[in-house]
């Protein structure tokens, strides 16, 4: 089976975890609750690429990565998920994800591949998760949702040296259709910090969830 991601993509994902590279037009979009979000205008799409820097308290990198990868668990704590599942097509694991959008806009859905690697970088333990949209014949577009065909995300997680973690994320998607600028701004300024807060709670409750699943 062909590799989903190149080695260089994993290196790119973690190299900015200490100090993000912000040359070339990146601007600070918001700084709230210890989370910094930078954005860069993408001339090709007329949209923005984002870099997100933050952290979680009382959490290990491995725990955060486990929670982030657990799709069944995410359906229990992420209120924007309408549908989320992983299936294997032609020997390749593929994820289908439908996201709830406020009325009267249509939901967005994604078909994407992902890969996690737990890396040792010069003695540093760094967890990296990559994801990108994929075209899969067995997952055609469906009515009631607009397919997001241009999606890419990288996440790097490392211990902060104490009881918490630091997180660095690159993110871009083109949601298609006509979305008002206020909603895009809200998603970045409020939606992302809210997601980090929910992720923190999810990490705190993961051990209890796993016990319930096993019983």
């Amino acid at each position: 089976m062909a590799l989903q991601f190149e080695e260089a993509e994993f290196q790119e994902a973690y190299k900015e975890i200490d100090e993000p590279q912000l040359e070339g037009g990146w601007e600070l979009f918001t700084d709230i609750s210890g989370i910094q979000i930078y954005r860069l205008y993408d001339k090709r799409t007329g949209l923005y690429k984002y870099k997100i820097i933050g952290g979680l308290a009382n959490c290990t990198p491995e725990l955060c990565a486990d929670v982030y990868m657990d799709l069944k668990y995410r359906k229990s704590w992420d209120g924007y998920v309408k549908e989320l599942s992983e299936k294997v097509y032609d020997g390749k694991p593929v994820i289908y994800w439908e996201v709830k959008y406020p009325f009267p806009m249509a939901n967005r859905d994604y078909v994407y591949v992902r890969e996690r690697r737990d890396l040792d970088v010069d003695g540093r333990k760094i967890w990296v998760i990559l994801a990108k949209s994929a075209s899969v014949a067995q997952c055609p577009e469906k009515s009631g949702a607009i397919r997001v065909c241009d999606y890419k995300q990288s996440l790097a997680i490392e211990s902060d040296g104490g009881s918490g973690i630091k997180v660095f994320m690159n993110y871009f998607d083109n949601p298609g259709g006509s979305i008002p600028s206020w909603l895009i701004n809200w998603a970045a300024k409020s939606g992302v910090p809210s997601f980090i807060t929910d992720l923190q709670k999810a990490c705190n409750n993961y051990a209890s969830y796993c016990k319930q699943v096993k019983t």
Side-chain angles (χ1 to χ4, degrees):
M1 183 174 62
L3 292 175
Q4 308 278 18
F5 301 93
E6 300 294 334
E7 183 66 32
E9 293 180 83
F10 287 92
Q11 295 174 1
E12 285 289 323
Y14 67 70
K15 74 177 186 179
E16 296 182 72
I17 197 168
D18 290 326
E19 186 173 349
Q21 304 301 308
L22 302 172
E23 300 82 5
W26 288 91
E27 62 180 9
L28 179 63
F29 184 50
T30 188
D31 187 346
I32 183 172
S33 302
I35 301 166
Q36 297 175 327
I37 302 175
Y38 294 86
R39 68 180 186 179
L40 176 68
Y41 184 72
D42 182 65
K43 295 179 180 179
R44 177 179 63 87
T45 61
L47 299 168
Y48 285 94
K49 299 177 180 179
Y50 294 94
K51 291 184 178 183
I52 302 160
I53 307 154
L56 299 180
N58 302 313
C59 179
T60 66
E62 185 174 14
L63 171 60
C64 183
D66 287 346
V67 169
Y68 203 82
M69 294 291 289
D70 193 328
L71 302 181
K72 290 183 179 179
Y73 182 45
R74 182 163 178 171
K75 289 190 285 187
S76 73
W77 62 265
D78 186 345
Y80 291 99
V81 170
K82 181 175 182 180
E83 187 176 343
L84 184 60
S85 61
E86 183 176 65
K87 296 182 179 181
V88 176
Y89 298 111
D90 300 325
K92 178 174 64 176
V94 176
I95 296 169
Y96 176 80
W97 176 32
E98 183 176 348
V99 180
K100 299 175 185 176
Y101 266 56
F103 180 83
M105 288 179 288
N107 289 349
R108 265 54 179 179
D109 67 358
Y110 301 70
V111 175
Y112 68 96
V113 294
R114 66 176 181 173
E115 184 177 343
R116 166 183 166 176
R117 290 191 189 177
D118 305 346
L119 305 175
D120 187 319
V121 183
D122 298 326
R124 297 169 60 179
K125 301 294 184 181
I126 302 177
W127 283 252
V128 174
I129 300 170
L130 302 182
K132 63 182 177 182
S133 53
S135 179
V136 180
Q138 297 93 327
C139 296
E141 297 183 28
K142 67 178 187 179
S143 61
I146 295 176
R147 178 63 48 87
V148 177
C149 297
D150 192 1
Y151 161 70
K152 189 173 183 179
Q153 182 186 70
S154 69
L155 175 67
I157 312 165
E158 185 181 26
S159 170
D160 63 6
S163 60
I165 60 172
K166 52 185 179 179
V167 175
F168 176 77
M169 179 186 290
N170 268 300
Y171 186 90
F172 175 81
D173 77 13
N174 184 348
S178 179
I179 299 180
S181 59
W182 68 262
L183 180 58
I184 294 175
N185 289 338
W186 173 87
K189 284 190 173 182
S190 300
V192 171
S194 177
F195 174 79
I196 297 295
T197 298
D198 290 343
L199 179 61
Q200 174 80 71
K201 294 177 182 177
C203 290
N204 294 343
N205 297 329
Y206 194 51
S208 297
Y209 167 81
C210 291
K211 288 180 181 179
Q212 291 175 357
V213 171
K214 291 180 180 179
T215 56

